[in-house]
Amino acid sequence: MNVSRIINIISIVAGGVVAIYAQAQERQNTYILMAGIMLLMFGIYRTSRNTPSKFEKEEESFIKTEKENEV
Protein backbone atom coordinates (compact mmCIF):
# COMPACT_ATOMS: atom_id res chain seq x y z
CA MET A 1 0.00 0.00 0.00
CA ASN A 2 1.25 3.43 -0.81
CA VAL A 3 1.08 6.41 1.53
CA SER A 4 -1.73 8.15 -0.38
CA ARG A 5 -4.03 5.17 -0.01
CA ILE A 6 -3.29 4.91 3.70
CA ILE A 7 -4.11 8.62 4.14
CA ASN A 8 -7.43 8.09 2.32
CA ILE A 9 -8.39 5.13 4.51
CA ILE A 10 -7.38 6.89 7.72
CA SER A 11 -9.36 10.03 6.82
CA ILE A 12 -12.46 7.99 5.94
CA VAL A 13 -12.33 5.97 9.15
CA ALA A 14 -11.47 8.97 11.35
CA GLY A 15 -14.21 11.09 9.78
CA GLY A 16 -16.76 8.35 10.31
CA VAL A 17 -15.73 7.87 13.94
CA VAL A 18 -15.84 11.61 14.66
CA ALA A 19 -19.25 11.98 12.96
CA ILE A 20 -20.69 9.04 14.91
CA TYR A 21 -19.20 10.36 18.15
CA ALA A 22 -20.74 13.80 17.56
CA GLN A 23 -24.16 12.23 16.85
CA ALA A 24 -24.06 9.92 19.89
CA GLN A 25 -23.88 12.67 22.48
CA GLU A 26 -27.04 13.89 24.14
CA ARG A 27 -26.31 17.47 23.12
CA GLN A 28 -24.85 17.34 19.63
CA ASN A 29 -21.91 19.55 18.81
CA THR A 30 -22.55 20.79 15.27
CA TYR A 31 -18.96 21.86 14.62
CA ILE A 32 -17.51 18.46 15.53
CA LEU A 33 -20.14 16.77 13.37
CA MET A 34 -19.30 19.06 10.45
CA ALA A 35 -15.57 18.40 10.88
CA GLY A 36 -16.18 14.64 10.87
CA ILE A 37 -18.32 14.81 7.75
CA MET A 38 -15.76 17.02 6.00
CA LEU A 39 -12.96 14.59 6.85
CA LEU A 40 -15.08 11.68 5.63
CA MET A 41 -15.92 13.44 2.36
CA PHE A 42 -12.26 14.43 1.87
CA GLY A 43 -11.22 10.78 2.08
CA ILE A 44 -14.01 9.65 -0.24
CA TYR A 45 -13.12 12.36 -2.77
CA ARG A 46 -9.43 11.42 -2.76
CA THR A 47 -10.33 7.75 -3.21
CA SER A 48 -12.78 8.35 -6.06
CA ARG A 49 -10.40 10.74 -7.82
CA ASN A 50 -8.04 7.86 -8.62
CA THR A 51 -10.75 5.38 -9.59
CA PRO A 52 -11.25 5.21 -13.37
CA SER A 53 -14.73 5.56 -14.79
CA LYS A 54 -16.22 2.51 -16.43
CA PHE A 55 -17.79 4.70 -19.10
CA GLU A 56 -14.61 6.48 -20.19
CA LYS A 57 -13.18 4.36 -22.96
CA GLU A 58 -10.81 5.85 -25.44
CA GLU A 59 -11.56 4.43 -28.84
CA GLU A 60 -8.62 4.24 -31.14
CA SER A 61 -9.23 5.20 -34.73
CA PHE A 62 -7.10 5.08 -37.80
CA ILE A 63 -7.60 8.79 -38.44
CA LYS A 64 -5.60 10.86 -35.97
CA THR A 65 -6.54 14.28 -37.30
CA GLU A 66 -8.90 15.34 -40.01
CA LYS A 67 -7.83 18.20 -42.24
CA GLU A 68 -10.40 20.45 -43.83
CA ASN A 69 -10.11 20.95 -47.56
CA GLU A 70 -9.84 24.58 -48.53
CA VAL A 71 -11.76 25.58 -51.64
Side-chain angles (χ1 to χ4, degrees):
M1 276 187 152
N2 56 5
V3 176
S4 177
R5 192 170 189 169
I6 293 172
I7 291 172
N8 296 345
I9 292 171
I10 289 173
S11 65
I12 290 171
V13 171
V17 168
V18 169
I20 290 172
Y21 172 75
Q23 281 282 358
Q25 294 179 353
E26 191 172 308
R27 184 168 178 241
Q28 297 174 356
N29 190 342
T30 308
Y31 296 113
I32 293 176
L33 179 62
M34 285 175 38
I37 292 172
M38 287 173 55
L39 191 59
L40 180 68
M41 295 304 291
F42 173 74
I44 292 172
Y45 168 72
R46 283 182 48 107
T47 301
S48 68
R49 184 178 58 178
N50 296 328
T51 305
S53 173
K54 68 178 184 179
F55 297 113
E56 283 185 19
K57 293 183 180 178
E58 293 183 21
E59 296 181 14
E60 294 182 23
S61 66
F62 296 108
I63 302 172
K64 291 187 179 181
T65 58
E66 204 172 298
K67 296 180 181 178
E68 294 182 20
N69 294 332
E70 294 182 19
V71 179

